[in-house]
Amino acid sequence: MTTRRTRPAPRPPEGTPPRAELARQARAVLADAVRIAHWAAGTPGPGTTAPLAAHALERAATALELSPAQVRAGWDRARLAGLVELHGDTARPGWRLRAWDRDDSAVLRGWVALFDAWSLVHAAPEGIEAGAVAEAVEAVPQVLSLLQLSAGSVTVPALLDLLGQRVAELQEERCEVPLGPGRTAPAVSADQPATAGPARSADLNALLLDWALEGLAAVGALTLGQGHATLTPLGNWAVWVKLEQICVAAQSPAGNIEQSAADMLLGCARLTPGPARDEYRAWLAARTVGSAVAELLAVARGEDALLRGLAFEALRVVGGPAEPEVRAVLAEPSLRPYALLWLAEYEGNDPDDAQDVLSREEATWLWVDTAAAVADHGETGLLVRHLDSAVQGTVPALLDEVRAVGHPRTVQVLVALAAAHPDPALAKAVRRAAFQVHTGGA
C-alpha cells in the first residue's frame, strides 16, 4: 500500500470569473454553432448529412437568418465542440448539445475542445509547407503561457521573439541545424516556395504568428489590439487549467508525464480506476491529441494484452477526438472487440450492455485476450474466476469456440488455466484442448 501525497485543490488566478460566468461566455462564443446543431438535429434527411450539403447549407442560412459562410463556420465549430457527432455520412446530436442549457461543465469542455482545435478553425496561409505550420502549432503553447503569466496584454514583437526561439528549439531537437561553413544548400526550383532559410525565417514566423493569433481570437481565447494581444477570461482560464494539469503530472509518483505510452500504462496498471484516469488525463495534457491517440493505438497493437485493454481505457478519457481513429481500427481483428466496446460506450450505451455489440466470435476472442493479460500480469485465482465471464454456458463449449477463434495466445492461456484450476478433471480437459490447438488437431 502506497500513500499518495495530496495537495489542496488548486485555485484559479485572482480575477478569474466563476465557472457560471465562464460558461456564459463560452455559450456566447458558440451561440451560432448551437443554433445550427439544433437545426440539424430537427431536420430529417439531407440536413443531417455530413459535411453539410450545398442545398442544406442554403436551407439553414434561410431558416437561421445567417449567411452561408456563417452557417459553414458554425457547422465546423459544432463538430469540433462535440455538439454534433459524425457517424459515417450522418451527423447526430452530441451529448453536449442535450446538456448545453443545464450543464456548465459540458459547455466548458465543449469550448475547450474548440480551443484545442483552433488551427482547424482558421485555415493556415497558403503556400507554406506543412512542417512549418506544424512547428508553429507546437510552439503556440509557449506563446499562450507567456500571455497567461503576464496577466495582461503582451506586444506582438515579444510574442514573435518567443515563437522564433521555440521554433528554433524544436528544429534543434530534430537536429535540423542551420548550414555551416563549407556546406551548400540544396537547389530550389523557381516554382518552389522558399519557406525556409535565414532570409525568410523572420517573415515566415511573423506570418505564422499572425495566423495563430487570429485563429485563437476566432475561438474566443484572446483579443487583438494595435500591436498587442490579451487573453480573454476564457482563454486565461483554459491556459491555467492546462498548466495546472502539467504541474500535477510532474508531481505524480511515477512521473508519467515523461513516460512513453507503454510505460505510463504499466505504471497505472495497479491503480484503481479513479487515480488511473487522473494519470491518463495528466499524460494526455502534455501531448497533442493526435500524437497521444496514435501512440496509444500503437501500444494496443503490441503483444501485451494488458496494455491493449489499458490503452482503450486511456482512449475513453480522450473521448470524442479519438473517435475517427478508433473507428478506423475496426478492420484490425486484434483491436476490433475493444473498438466496438469503446464506440458503443461513446455513443451512450450502458457499459453493462455494451457487450451486446460483439458477435460470439468477437466475445470469445476478447475472453482469450483478457485471459492472456491475467496470465501475464495477474494472479492464478483471477484466471480461474475469469471462466465465469465467458459467454459460453459450459467449459466444453468454451473450449470448442476458443480453439476455433484463432487467438495467437490460445495455447498459453489454456496451459496457464489448466495449471491454475483446482479441478483435476477440468484441468485435464483444458490441457487436452491446449495440446490439440498446439498440434493442429481437432
Side-chain angles (χ1 to χ4, degrees), residues 66 88 189 218 269 325 328 352 354 373 421:
L66 298 172
S189 62
E325 287 77 9
D352 292 335
H421 207 283

Side-chain angles (χ1 to χ4, degrees), residues 292-311:
V293 170
E295 192 173 349
L296 289 169
L297 287 175
V299 172
R301 292 185 179 98
E303 296 181 358
D304 193 323
L306 175 67
L307 294 187
R308 186 159 29 253
L310 292 175

Side-chain angles (χ1 to χ4, degrees), residues 4 21 38 45 66 105 109 121 181 191 213 242 247 274 278 300 330 338 348-349 364 377 390 395-396 413:
R4 298 188 65 172
E21 172 59 20
H38 277 301
L66 298 172
S105 293
R109 285 196 294 269
V121 173
D191 59 349
L213 294 178
K242 292 182 180 297
C247 290
D278 289 341
L330 287 173
Y338 293 96
N349 293 318
T364 303
H377 300 277
V395 171
V413 164

